[in-house]
């Protein structure tokens, strides 16, 4: 996927920073691609980028406005349409990871055609997938799984892939969500695939490779989330991971968007092994990725040490403290370098 750069990140009027995780993800991992942000009244999320009007962005050389927000169901609020049309009228392309195609909205389609602008629907692909086969394939795969949605599975996968590459271990990051696709410029939004074909799509993005190559696959949702467990299970079966890392945000008491309690790390480890062994009997947990963004540094370090001791696994915050403990364990477990 090739999207013209640089970007203006649209944050809309989202209620919190997590709802702007696409904008934050692109900025954190591809800062050179981003020039500014644009918000609507009532927005409770902000990046470090300067606020720009659409006219200022166009004059500054911005090529694409990225809808940097996520919301339940991937809908496009009606009151965002005017800003998108205005962006098109200022010559900006639009990229969005919504569950609705931009071109299906008449005002947006007309403005794009009139201004010769491109509409990039990150969650839609012209590809078709078979059902999953479950057959063992060559190569190695690592999947990030979570105790909840929005706990750091994408960031952890990106950081772990970088950690492997830094040790000259052949590896790729496999994007399975709209933000990951923007960062990697390739991948499949697994949650937009018809349920019968989720595992087949996961097999497609992590195909048979050389035995010493690692595909690091971005996880989605949680196996115990009432809304997203189906996507998580299909991705687990299709990605057929040899290794998985559990991602956890320790300050939550209930899952995001629902009233269900947060499961324990051990529950997720046990369930992932139980379900994952269907397609890979040798699946194993190789570490814990703890999202400590809401904790002080001392509290974060103490908690990580406690969880590592409790579960007898390496633990870290991959963004804050790096991935070395988990990468060391992977190298030892799989006899790499």
């Amino acid at each position: 996927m090739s999207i013209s750069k640089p970007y203006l990140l649209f944050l809309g009027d989202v209620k919190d920073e997590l709802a702007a995780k696409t904008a934050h993800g692109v900025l954190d991992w591809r800062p050179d691609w981003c020039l500014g942000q644009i918000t609507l009244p009532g927005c409770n999320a902000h990046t470090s980028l300067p606020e720009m009007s659409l006219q200022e962005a166009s004059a500054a050389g911005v090529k694409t406005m990225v809808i940097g927000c996520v919301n339940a169901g991937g809908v496009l609020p009606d009151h965002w349409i005017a800003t998108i049309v205005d962006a098109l009228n200022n010559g900006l392309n639009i990229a969005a990871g919504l569950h609705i195609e931009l071109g299906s909205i008449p005002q947006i389609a007309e403005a794009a055609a009139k201004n010769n602008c491109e509409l990039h629907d990150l969650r839609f692909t012209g590809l078709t997938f078979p059902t999953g086969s479950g057959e063992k394939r060559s190569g190695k795969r690592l999947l990030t799984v979570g105790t909840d949605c929005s706990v750091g599975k994408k960031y952890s996968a990106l950081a772990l892939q970088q950690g492997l590459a830094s040790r000259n271990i052949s590896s790729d990051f496999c994007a399975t969500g709209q933000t990951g696709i923007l960062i990697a410029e390739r991948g499949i939004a697994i949650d937009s695939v018809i349920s019968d074909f989720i595992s087949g799509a996961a097999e497609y993005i992590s195909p048979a490779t050389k035995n010493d190559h690692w595909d690091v696959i971005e996880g989605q949702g949680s196996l115990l989330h009432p809304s997203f467990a189906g996507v998580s299970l299909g991705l687990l079966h299709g990605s057929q991971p040899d290794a998985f890392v559990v991602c956890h945000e320790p300050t939550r008491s209930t899952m995001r968007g629902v009233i269900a309690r947060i499961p324990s790390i051990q529950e997720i480890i046990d369930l992932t092994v139980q379900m994952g062994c269907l397609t890979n009997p040798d699946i194993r947990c190789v570490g814990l990725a703890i999202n400590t963004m809401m904790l002080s540094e001392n509290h974060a370090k103490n908690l990580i040490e406690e969880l590592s001791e409790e579960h007898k696994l390496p633990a870290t915050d991959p963004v804050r403290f790096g991935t070395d403990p988990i990468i060391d364990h992977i190298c030892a477990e799989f006899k790499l370098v």
Side-chain angles (χ1 to χ4, degrees):
M1 178 177 294
S2 179
I3 301 175
S4 297
K5 304 168 187 68
Y7 296 155
L8 176 70
L9 302 178
F10 174 80
L11 306 185
D13 53 355
V14 296
K15 64 180 181 179
D16 59 26
E17 297 292 353
L18 271 181
K21 70 176 187 177
T22 292
H24 286 297
V26 176
L27 179 59
D28 285 345
W29 293 94
R30 297 291 185 259
D32 294 345
W33 296 356
C34 306
L35 281 190
Q37 70 172 35
I38 181 169
T39 61
L40 298 179
C43 183
N44 289 321
H46 298 278
T47 70
S48 59
L49 296 171
E51 184 80 12
M52 286 185 172
S53 69
L54 293 168
Q55 294 75 20
E56 290 170 337
S58 181
V62 166
K63 300 299 181 184
T64 302
M65 184 174 82
V66 173
I67 308 300
C69 320
V70 296
N71 47 42
V75 299
L76 175 63
D78 289 341
H79 63 282
W80 290 3
I81 294 175
T83 303
I84 294 172
V85 169
D86 197 6
L88 292 163
N89 288 335
N90 277 276
L92 305 186
N93 305 308
I94 307 294
L98 304 169
H99 277 301
I100 182 172
E101 291 185 90
L102 292 166
S104 69
I105 300 169
Q107 307 98 298
I108 294 177
E110 290 167 10
K114 180 181 72 174
N115 295 287
N116 195 30
C117 292
E118 296 180 338
L119 302 175
H120 300 280
D121 293 299
L122 304 172
R123 266 188 165 124
F124 292 83
T125 173
L127 298 173
T128 57
F129 307 103
T131 55
S133 71
E135 295 177 3
K136 179 64 177 173
R137 55 194 188 275
S138 58
K140 292 288 189 291
R141 279 160 289 279
L142 183 152
L143 175 68
T144 53
V145 303
T147 55
D148 193 9
C149 58
S150 302
V151 291
K153 295 181 291 293
K154 172 177 62 269
Y155 276 53
S156 296
L158 284 160
L160 288 163
Q161 190 275 319
Q162 285 187 349
L164 290 168
S166 71
R167 303 197 190 191
N168 297 316
I169 298 168
S170 176
S171 58
D172 285 313
F173 167 73
C174 299
T176 61
Q178 70 273 15
T179 311
I181 292 170
L182 273 168
I183 293 168
E185 297 194 293
R186 61 193 295 266
I188 296 166
I190 289 291
D191 64 2
S192 67
V193 177
I194 294 172
S195 58
D196 274 1
F197 308 106
I198 290 175
S199 58
E203 290 178 357
Y204 177 87
I205 63 169
S206 57
T209 61
K210 294 180 179 179
N211 286 328
D212 62 351
H213 178 85
W214 283 81
D215 277 336
V216 182
I217 302 155
E218 174 192 9
Q220 295 295 327
S222 171
L223 285 173
L224 287 175
H225 196 291
S227 305
F228 310 119
V231 174
S232 306
L233 181 59
L235 182 57
L236 173 61
H237 285 158
S239 60
Q240 201 178 88
D242 301 274
F244 66 93
V245 170
V246 177
C247 304
H248 178 64
E249 207 283 18
T251 69
R252 297 184 195 174
S253 57
T254 60
M255 292 186 173
R256 186 164 172 81
V258 295
I259 59 172
R261 70 171 180 85
I262 293 283
S264 70
I265 290 172
Q266 192 61 50
E267 284 179 284
I268 294 299
I269 292 173
D270 294 342
L271 190 59
T272 301
V273 171
Q274 180 185 357
M275 297 296 185
C277 69
L278 176 70
T279 56
N280 189 343
D282 295 325
I283 186 173
R284 69 194 79 172
C285 184
V286 294
L288 311 178
I290 310 302
N291 182 343
T292 66
M293 184 172 63
M294 304 299 292
L295 305 178
S296 69
E297 183 165 334
N298 283 341
H299 188 178
K301 288 180 176 178
N302 289 337
L303 177 62
I304 286 170
E305 185 176 346
E306 291 171 9
L307 291 173
S308 179
E309 177 61 28
E310 177 184 350
H311 295 283
K312 308 303 180 188
L313 287 166
T316 185
D317 182 325
V319 175
R320 196 173 191 178
F321 303 127
T323 60
D324 280 348
I326 297 177
I327 301 298
D328 287 344
H329 185 68
I330 292 171
C331 289
E333 280 282 295
F334 293 92
K335 297 179 174 58
L336 303 181
V337 293

